[in-house]
Structures are given as C-alpha cells and as structure tokens.
Amino acid sequence: MILRSSLAAAVAFGALAAASSAHAQSADPACDGLTALRLANTRIDAAIAVKSGDRQPIEAFGLPSLTASTAYCRVSVTLTPVPGSEIHSEIWLPTPAAWNGKFAAMGNAGFGGALGPPRLSMRPALSRGYAVAGTDMGHTEAGADGKNASWALNQPERIIDFGHRANHVTAVAAKALVEAYYGRRPDRSYFQGCSDGGREALMAAQRYPDDFDGIVAGAPANAWTHLMASFAWSWKAAHQSADSMLKAPNLARIQAAALAACDDLDGVRDGVIEDPRICRFDPATIRCDVDATDGCLTAPQLDALKALYAGPRRGVTGASLFPGFSPGGEAVRNGWDLWITDAAAQQPDFARSFFANFVFNDADWRLDQFDFDKDFDRAQAAMAGILDSDNPDMSAFRASGGKLLMYHGWSDAALPAEGTIRYFEAVRGAMGAEAVDDFARLFMVPAMGHCFGGPGPNTFDMLGELDAWVEGAPAPERIVASKYANDLAQLLNMPAGQPQSTRPLCAYPKVARWKGEGATTDEANFECVVQTPRAND
C-alpha cells in the first residue's frame, strides 16, 4: 500500500491528545462506563467520547486527521484469544439517537498492521448511523505501509489472526460492546472490505457464516497464494531483465492502442472499455520494427507485456495459476506504474515478503529463487488452508440467510479482475446458478482501478444496496455508479459536488450498452444486456 507519511502520524498523535483532553469533560457517561465492561480475552484500553467537528486520526496512506462529521464513542480494545495473539481493534458507536440499529465491520488492506485503512471505510458508515469496527489483523507492522510481512516470521498465531481470526473475534467483541452501550444487540450485522478486505469478507462468509447478515467483497484477494505467485510472475516478466522493463511512454502507448481497438465496443467512445474480455487488441502492432513511434515496444518488452496479460503459469506444464491483467488501464494514475512496472512497484515487495516470512521462514529469501512449480505447491500446502478464501462452497452462508455483493474494477493493476470472475463462476459451478442468484451478485466496474479511481464512473453505494437487499428489497440487478471530479473526496466522505457522469453497473454476466440515443453521461440511457465473453475466439 502507499506509504504513510510521518506528518500523518504527528497530526494523528495531536488529534489523540485533543480527544483525551475532551474525554475529561465527557458528556457521554455511557461511553465512559464501557471501560468497566469485562469480556473474555478482551482488554478495553480506552472509551473516548468524540464530538462532531473533532479531529479524527486516520493514519493511512499519508492522510492527515480528518474532521468527525458526527459524535460517537471511540472504543479501543486488545483481543487475546490464544497465547501469542494480540489483536488491536476499534469500535465506533454513534450516539443512541443517531444509531440506525445496525453494525458494520470494515476490512483492512495489504498485510494489515494498522487501523488506518479500516478507518477510511468506518467514517462514511458511521455518518450513516452504523456502529462500526475495524482491526489491525493481529500485528503492528513496522513502517505501517501494508506490504511488509516481517511480523509473520515464525509467528503461526499471528498468521492465523491475519488469515481469519482477527475479524471474527473483533465482530464478537464489537457486538458485545454494542449491546452494552445501546442496551440491545444490533438488528443487522454487515462486513465490507476491498483488496485484502475483500479476501477477509469472503473468509467471513466461508468460515464464519453466522457472523454477518450481509457481506460486501470488493476486488477480493481471496486466492491469496495464487495471487502471490501472480506478483512473483509480474516481477519475473517486468523486472528480472532490464530490457523487459516497461516505462511510462510504453504504458501510455499500450493503453492508447488498446483503447483505439476496443473503446467503442459498447457503442460509446469515452476512454472506457466496458468489458476487456472481448477486446481484440494485438500488442504486436506497436512493436518498434512495425511502428517506431514514441513508446513502441522492443521484442523483450512485448514478451513482458504478453506475460502480464497471460498471467502466471507453471514452469513444466504451462498450466495457468491465475489470470493476467486486462488491456485498457495500463497508464491510469496509480495503475501499472505503482503496482507492476516502476522500480519501486509494490507487487514484488508483497511477493518477496510473503514467501520469505510466511512460507520459507527465511528473512533473506530472494524473489529470483521462486519456482513456479515446487515453490507454489509448497506455499499452497503451508498457507492456503489459513489464508485463501476461495472455497466455492458457500452453502452454509446461504443457509444462514446471508447476502453477498462482489465487485471488481476492470483496470485494477493490483489484483487481476478476471480472478474474481473465475471465483464467482466456480461458486456457480459448485452450487448452481439459481442457488447463487438467491444470495450473491457480482458487479464488474469498467475502467476502475484498485478499489477506487479511474477514468469512468467508480463511486457507488454497495453497503446501501446490500442493506436494502438484506431488509427485503429485490436483489440488485443494476447499481448506479458516478464519476466525480475528485474521486478521493468521495472516498474520504468529504463534499465532492455533483457527478460529472453516471453509468449503470450490471449484475454479472450482463454488461451496460448505450441505447443509441440520449446523453452518454446519463445512466438512464444505458441498458444491461447479456454478452458472450471472448466472441470470435
């Protein structure tokens, strides 16, 4: 994940000091009294009444503290379910008058290690009346950038906490605190997460099917061991040889060529490919010996690009281990440069740290040692049962009455979007399409990057849609996404003005198509239609 800045930590410390001062004059004795609550394997470290307008520490991605939009009771807890486990979590409780009667837990990001990422999702849900919670996943990461797994070296209980236990015990403690503060249990409980939070979301559905009534899983890193092999593959393709490295001009040229070939397949030329699976873009057309325009590809660069599109393969049989990346989003902001191609790209760091600390227990292990046969199999044997949430049998969650909404951006440069389709199809294959339709929907988001951002409409209310479905509304078949001038403002629950455009997200396998008349910036002028992937193959 993007590095947090030291400035953010300093500002957050100041906010905590201010909050502690306000605690001395607290007008919420029920909040104060929570410190006396006794729960098994739980230490309540603090319960602080936060007023609307107080500064709220985020401590994620270099962000400063932000203004609290509503009053709440901020509870900090340490959970110790087994020896060797120490999980730090926060539960935010809106005032009784503002509470909507529901609870929503938020997922973390990367390898976890800090409470900052969950807080970003806790803020908007809190402002809508939900009691909310988040956890650091059972460890404090040095540097708190989300991609360092040194904490896992020879630490099996911490690995289990990260794999699945931290969110479960946090949900149990949070529901007890909700009951103590409001005098009753929540009417509904939800989980929402993206990236590793999406893996956590599916883990909750598969391993703890009674914890939540509804779950949102965005860009799920659920096939974790496969994904780490994918990250190792990206390093091998784009970094092992200096000749294969793709620079910014190459990415711009690749994206421009992909858009020229496929942008208007949905009837609208707008810089967005609705479904890259039917894109017939041939990257050999921008090879330097064919067209030497700036950004053209040398033979090694073309091989690297083809490898990234294809995804990781076994060394002996060539069998696919995970899908590759989709064309059309190579040069978007914080895209392939951040995750794959730059010298400081994040995928290689994640892969090296994972295999060194989780699998080989060797802090000096190097990525160039990875074998896509025996080392992948070793990672699967050691860690898939703890970390991977790709079990296609979700019958227990369905039987519990749970509802699941999944989404993934097609221009995600961190986690290949087709990995989520592959998993959703596996669930349909294992349980039957009609059974899956009873409790689950997948929405693919054209041109959206990793969890947010991108040139197309990428802001939508999955938690609201899920809540309505759980409460008895029809299953969502069409969700409106909006494009704002400042996508980040929306993410941070700050004023963002009116959307520049809207577009429907259609329940998989349908896609949006312009009707042929009316503004192409208005979702009302699009319909959801069935499309056969990879036509003409």
Side-chain angles (χ1 to χ4, degrees):
M1 298 300 155
I2 303 171
L3 291 173
R4 283 87 162 164
S5 69
S6 57
L7 174 61
V11 173
F13 178 82
L16 279 172
S20 297
S21 175
H23 175 56
Q25 307 170 21
S26 173
D28 189 351
C31 179
D32 299 342
L34 291 176
T35 56
L37 186 66
R38 296 294 178 261
L39 302 172
N41 304 315
T42 302
R43 183 181 74 235
I44 299 177
D45 299 312
I48 300 171
V50 178
K51 302 186 301 296
S52 177
D54 282 355
R55 301 299 292 179
Q56 185 177 62
I58 298 299
E59 297 172 309
F61 314 131
L63 295 168
S65 58
L66 301 173
T67 301
S69 62
T70 187
Y72 67 98
C73 177
R74 178 185 173 194
V75 186
S76 300
V77 301
T78 300
L79 307 170
T80 52
V82 299
S85 173
E86 184 175 301
I87 301 161
H88 299 107
S89 304
E90 283 188 356
I91 298 90
W92 297 355
L93 305 167
T95 62
W99 186 41
N100 66 7
K102 300 171 184 179
F103 163 64
M106 302 296 164
N108 212 303
F111 286 116
L115 283 161
R119 289 176 183 147
L120 288 177
S121 300
M122 292 163 70
R123 274 174 50 84
L126 176 79
S127 70
R128 295 165 62 175
Y130 293 91
V132 293
T135 175
D136 68 358
M137 305 298 289
H139 59 275
T140 300
E141 183 205 328
D145 64 4
K147 59 182 179 179
N148 181 350
S150 59
W151 54 267
L153 186 65
N154 296 312
Q155 296 290 335
E157 295 301 338
R158 289 185 180 182
I159 289 173
I160 292 171
D161 285 337
F162 171 75
H164 57 84
R165 188 166 52 204
N167 279 310
H168 171 63
V169 297
T170 296
V172 172
K175 291 176 186 179
L177 283 159
V178 165
E179 184 173 19
Y181 186 65
Y182 300 111
R184 64 184 179 92
R185 304 281 284 183
D187 300 324
R188 302 290 190 186
S189 295
Y190 301 117
F191 188 96
Q192 176 174 270
C194 191
S195 191
D196 184 68
R199 179 193 68 86
E200 299 162 35
L202 292 175
M203 186 68 79
Q206 294 164 21
R207 193 178 286 262
Y208 305 104
D210 297 321
D211 276 1
F212 302 103
D213 300 292
I215 288 174
V216 175
N222 62 317
W224 186 268
T225 52
H226 293 261
L227 182 66
M228 292 300 113
S230 173
F231 286 6
W233 180 268
S234 294
W235 173 84
K236 178 182 174 68
H239 293 275
Q240 192 169 29
S241 166
D243 292 339
S244 66
M245 294 184 69
L246 297 165
K247 306 296 186 181
N250 303 123
L251 298 181
R253 181 75 186 282
I254 295 164
Q255 179 171 297
L259 290 173
C262 306
D263 184 4
D264 59 0
L265 294 178
D266 60 356
V268 181
R269 184 164 288 278
D270 56 358
V272 172
I273 299 175
E274 176 71 23
D275 185 347
R277 293 174 300 170
I278 63 168
C279 181
R280 302 271 69 83
F281 165 57
D282 179 4
T285 59
I286 55 172
R287 206 175 57 214
C288 291
D289 60 356
V290 175
D291 182 348
T293 306
D294 184 44
C296 65
L297 302 179
T298 63
Q301 288 175 323
L302 179 62
D303 289 342
L305 179 61
K306 288 181 176 179
L308 293 170
Y309 284 156
R313 307 277 173 171
R314 284 192 175 274
V316 174
T317 66
S320 173
L321 295 176
F322 205 63
F325 293 91
S326 304
E330 295 82 357
V332 299
R333 183 181 180 186
N334 294 334
W336 282 33
D337 56 348
L338 174 68
W339 288 99
I340 303 172
T341 58
D342 275 6
Q346 299 203 24
Q347 285 190 4
D349 286 344
F350 272 101
R352 196 213 67 79
S353 202
F354 169 72
F355 288 109
N357 296 290
F358 280 74
V359 179
F360 296 106
N361 297 311
D362 177 4
D364 297 323
W365 185 88
R366 304 185 316 275
L367 201 52
D368 60 4
Q369 297 174 253
F370 187 74
D371 182 286
F372 287 90
D373 288 308
K374 65 179 182 179
D375 290 342
F376 172 74
D377 290 340
R378 179 171 174 174
Q380 280 265 289
M383 290 293 146
I386 302 172
L387 304 177
D388 291 11
S389 56
D390 57 356
N391 183 350
D393 181 4
M394 301 187 73
S395 54
F397 183 65
R398 180 187 179 222
S400 76
K403 305 296 185 187
L404 171 67
L405 291 181
M406 299 175 65
Y407 67 91
H408 206 135
W410 271 118
S411 291
D412 191 331
L415 314 180
E418 284 204 61
T420 295
I421 292 178
R422 180 180 289 188
Y423 172 69
F424 193 73
E425 288 286 10
V427 176
R428 287 160 62 98
M431 299 181 63
E434 290 187 8
V436 173
D437 283 347
D438 285 344
F439 77 97
R441 291 289 188 279
L442 167 63
F443 294 86
M444 301 303 294
V445 189
M448 187 174 81
H450 186 51
C451 295
F452 83 104
N458 57 69
T459 300
F460 39 86
D461 181 13
M462 283 292 173
L463 181 58
E465 295 282 350
L466 176 70
D467 196 354
W469 189 14
V470 169
E471 292 289 5
E477 297 291 345
R478 176 186 177 113
I479 295 175
V480 176
S482 300
K483 173 64 180 175
Y484 291 88
N486 187 345
D487 295 323
L488 186 60
Q490 277 289 310
L491 181 69
L492 299 178
N493 195 38
M494 299 170 66
Q498 294 298 310
Q500 297 175 327
S501 64
T502 58
R503 183 77 64 92
L505 307 179
C506 301
Y508 177 87
K510 292 183 178 179
V511 297
R513 285 287 180 270
W514 183 48
K515 294 178 180 178
E517 57 183 11
T520 58
T521 55
D522 185 348
E523 60 87 17
N525 298 320
F526 288 78
E527 58 186 348
C528 292
V529 300
V530 175
Q531 163 181 279
T532 302
R534 302 191 185 281
N536 302 324
D537 274 357

